[in-house]
Amino acid sequence: MSLDRKTPTIQDVARFANVSTATVSRALSAPEKVSEGTRARVAEAIRVTGYTLNQAGRSLRQRSAKTILVAIPDIRNPFFSSILDAIEREAATRGYGVLVLNLYFGRETIRRLQDFLLSNRADGLLLLDGSVDTDLLRAVSQQAGEIPIVVACEEIPNAGFHTVLTDNVEAAERATRHLIDLGHRRIGHIMGPEHNVVSRERITGYGRALADAGLTPQPEWQFRGNFDMESGFAAAARFLSLNDRPSAVFAANDESAIGFLSGLRQRGILCPRDISMVGFDDLAVASHYVPPLTTMRQPREAMGRMAAEALIDLIEDPEALAIPLRIVLRSELVVRESTGRLASVGRPSLEVDMSPARI
Amino acid sequence: MSLDRKTPTIQDVARFANVSTATVSRALSAPEKVSEGTRARVAEAIRVTGYTLNQAGRSLRQRSAKTILVAIPDIRNPFFSSILDAIEREAATRGYGVLVLNLYFGRETIRRLQDFLLSNRADGLLLLDGSVDTDLLRAVSQQAGEIPIVVACEEIPNAGFHTVLTDNVEAAERATRHLIDLGHRRIGHIMGPEHNVVSRERITGYGRALADAGLTPQPEWQFRGNFDMESGFAAAARFLSLNDRPSAVFAANDESAIGFLSGLRQRGILCPRDISMVGFDDLAVASHYVPPLTTMRQPREAMGRMAAEALIDLIEDPEALAIPLRIVLRSELVVRESTGRLASVGRPSLEVDMSPARI
DNA sequence: CGGCCGCGTGTAATCGATTGCATAAACCAT
DNA sequence: ATGGTTTATGCAATCGATTACACGCGGCCG
């Protein structure tokens, strides 16, 4: 008669309700198959015993874990973490758990990814990084009995995976054109990492906008970065060493834009007085930076939500999508104060940030 | 002879290696119990069949999921996401998976938390939020057979949970004293949410520093916020409506500090010329904001790592800690440009941000 | 030589839930 | 009343891995 029983199982509930375990199971997962009276007895028994499902048992039998695996290049990056947030919300409403996996372990990473997928811990993979080796990935997927995979944010070219993303080329083109429309002719770019798909697409878009306007891209105006603030800051030093400087810069993301502006400011170069700047992502801080940043807003929440939706649809009905899904969302240019008309050379306008203090 | 077999199981490996499943299992988890020759045959069989462990089967038998549950108030917040990052790294090296759970669903949240914990999907809980109902939490833990719980970042007072945190009272006191040391006497505070433990502790620290310096706190200088930029921005409006304004403000975190400064800037009030500002957290953007923000740096990575370490230790040896663990880490004041000596009233100094442009 | 020990291995029970099949009861139409 | 259908339930196998227990064998000691 000791009270220290282990957590109650479906057996306990069955005994208490005077039915078989099969009936309890059905009462839970297919209530319409159970008569009303029995259902009530089972419900009561569950309440009294404090029963909760053992997911391991169910997973074993059903060969599904009710869990998705989200693989992320960098959780700390607010861009990714807000997508993760949207994914988690969607997964939660559909009854799925979310396992997260950092992707920075090189080859070790693929091993871990493989472990998770092949060990029945996750029913599907949501990949937020296009730089994972395609063949390896496909092999893993097949080995694991065609586990559904959805790639979000970044594209894996020609790989035939389901994808949810924004058109980075077009958006980068629009961002750059915004600068052109303001009269700028000397336009630089802070690039992302060399082998990153997104980063390349944005470079392409930048190049197209210049070409369309009949402008020739200057290699020395294209600064290598890697999407973080420090790399933007470092780019500022290189910018400052130039004799012939751009009057406007398009950065591959807000963080490098901010780092860049911060570097320039140390040397007294102010935005938008001396330089115009467009970022990418519209992080929360963009609207509160000094100056508030003009930027391309990506529909992060929508991207995360739709990717999670698609993945779960696919998990629940593998036949759902005969051909690879490809959802392309549109980014939106948010014009703030970091961009302005090209001022006549040698006469920087001074109308900004110079209002008298009122304290 | 069809090739479309399901994923191979331990049975397949056993058949191939001409041993029993027991031996295969032992070869994997206790190699020293298996003779060298057999071990080699099993290894080869695993290689050939492409076997991978089915975690569900193991979990069911061992009643452990090799997974920890991390419950977070807001994944998007860079403060939390960088802690999550550290947690994930530590968990990965110890062979654990990480399930994330957003906490903003009110009562629904506890249900989900409970579901995860009681369903053998996670072996322990790492809670990054002190506002969860203590009794409920303890009940869940006990019901789930004393599942280990570690609370990080925020304290649940008198609850006896293992905790890893920083001393918010002391740190807030130090932040405020920094302003006092610079000559400020009229010091405001942007508070966090009313019922948040951390937010209260920082208010307390702020109050102590004032008291120590013989200053009387002014209620109208304490602005309610909720840790995000918008609330800081809103606080700026209230600040501006005051006749008698503080010369310095300590914000409960960097985000509200940034929102606040952004709001002031719109009305021409510049930092540090017109006002000094101290934040809290040292987010990545703090050092690149305009001006670079003086702030209390919390050891986020250390906190995440140590909390994960403690939790996993506890999972692997529940007797490990007889008395509740309580690790208190020290925050560090990082002085940048957002704080300066109190300028004589009516004569705002103009030495900042006014260097001539060099473009 | 006989008994004991320990190593390496196999047998089979076990973890908890689901589900195909069988069966009983109830209902319906003729 | 009879056969057929539907509904509600139980029985027992099953998912894959682990592990308590048993067994056989070789070596060692007295």
Side-chain angles (χ1 to χ4, degrees), chain B residues 19-20 22-23 26 34-35 38 60-61 63:
Chain B
V19 295
S20 71
T23 301
R26 281 188 287 251
V34 173
S35 74
T38 315
L60 178 58
R61 178 62 218 239
R63 342 185 112 252

Side-chain angles (χ1 to χ4, degrees), chain A residues 6 169 185 196 320 330:
Chain A
K6 286 298 160 193
V169 176
R185 290 295 173 269
N196 182 287
R330 189 174 167 81

Side-chain angles (χ1 to χ4, degrees), chain B residues 302-337:
Chain B
M303 226 182 331
R305 181 170 37 76
M306 295 176 87
E309 263 178 31
L311 181 60
I312 295 176
D313 286 348
L314 227 53
I315 288 170
E316 297 187 341
D317 176 13
E319 314 298 324
L321 300 168
I323 49 166
L325 177 77
R326 191 157 190 285
I327 299 179
V328 181
L329 300 172
R330 189 173 166 84
S331 297
E332 179 191 358
L333 179 69
V334 183
V335 178
R336 298 205 181 92
E337 302 173 30

